[in-house]
Amino acid sequence: MELPSRLIDRAVDQIAGLPGVGRRTALRLALHLLARNEEDVRRFTESIQDMREGVKACTVCGNLGEEEVCGICRDARREDSRIAVVEDLRDLLAIEATGHFRGRYHVLGGVISPMDGVGPADLRVESLVARAASEACQEIIFALPTTMEGDTTAFYLDKRLRECGVEITTLA
């Protein structure tokens, strides 16, 4: 379908580039933004730009936040002895939403996927091995997806972490 403006078409293309957003939804969102008042659209675009510029990965675990070290890593009430290994922020947030896990996290930033060109060097593996080797760490919990890529990643990490002498468990 040809749109009446190349500017609308460009906006639709950009919005449709988001995961799970097709062209029809992107067009609906673009037209909605076009109908909003200028101040609302300015706040919307500023918030996206501010997020892009201000959010960074925690230097300890890879969680996202505005500080060099995230709130979870700074929380002295957390157990240093247990580290849950997750693929990304969504998994960390899902576990946190339960309110039951009081340990630490390690965000890998993906899973091993040869088909997508993602190998161990593309993930935060070395920092996980270093954390597991610390005296405080006693257990590594794999909270990875139950997919072939997740299983491959868990198998690789298991082999790398065995030398650290920590207990390795997997969520059921």
Side-chain angles (χ1 to χ4, degrees), residues 103-158:
R104 307 282 181 183
Y105 293 95
H106 190 85
V107 181
L108 285 176
V111 289
I112 296 171
S113 177
M115 296 293 287
D116 296 324
V118 178
D122 300 311
L123 306 177
R124 300 185 68 253
V125 174
E126 297 308 319
S127 56
L128 174 61
V129 172
R131 290 178 74 193
S134 77
E135 288 182 24
C137 184
Q138 296 173 357
E139 180 184 17
I140 299 290
I141 304 163
F142 294 149
L144 297 169
T146 54
T147 61
M148 185 176 296
E149 293 84 0
D151 292 344
T152 300
T153 305
F155 179 76
Y156 176 80
L157 293 175
D158 186 85

Side-chain angles (χ1 to χ4, degrees), residues 128-134 137 159-166:
L128 174 61
V129 172
R131 290 178 74 193
S134 77
C137 184
K159 288 182 74 164
R160 289 291 311 274
L161 295 168
R162 285 285 167 200
E163 61 198 40
C164 296
V166 296

Side-chain angles (χ1 to χ4, degrees), residues 14-29 90:
Q14 291 304 307
I15 296 169
L18 296 170
V21 179
R23 280 197 60 83
R24 287 176 55 180
T25 300
L27 176 59
R28 189 169 62 250
L29 293 170
R90 290 176 302 210

Side-chain angles (χ1 to χ4, degrees), residues 54-75 78 84 86-94 96 103-109 124 127 131:
V55 172
K56 52 188 137 225
C58 173
T59 57
V60 177
C61 72
N63 185 11
L64 297 178
E66 297 174 36
E67 306 292 328
E68 293 294 318
V69 177
C70 74
I72 293 173
C73 288
R74 287 192 317 261
D75 188 347
R78 293 278 184 161
V86 297
E87 178 182 1
D88 59 27
L89 178 64
R90 290 176 302 210
D91 300 325
L92 184 151
L93 294 174
E96 277 298 288
R104 307 282 181 183
Y105 293 95
H106 190 85
V107 181
L108 285 176
R124 300 185 68 253
S127 56
R131 290 178 74 193

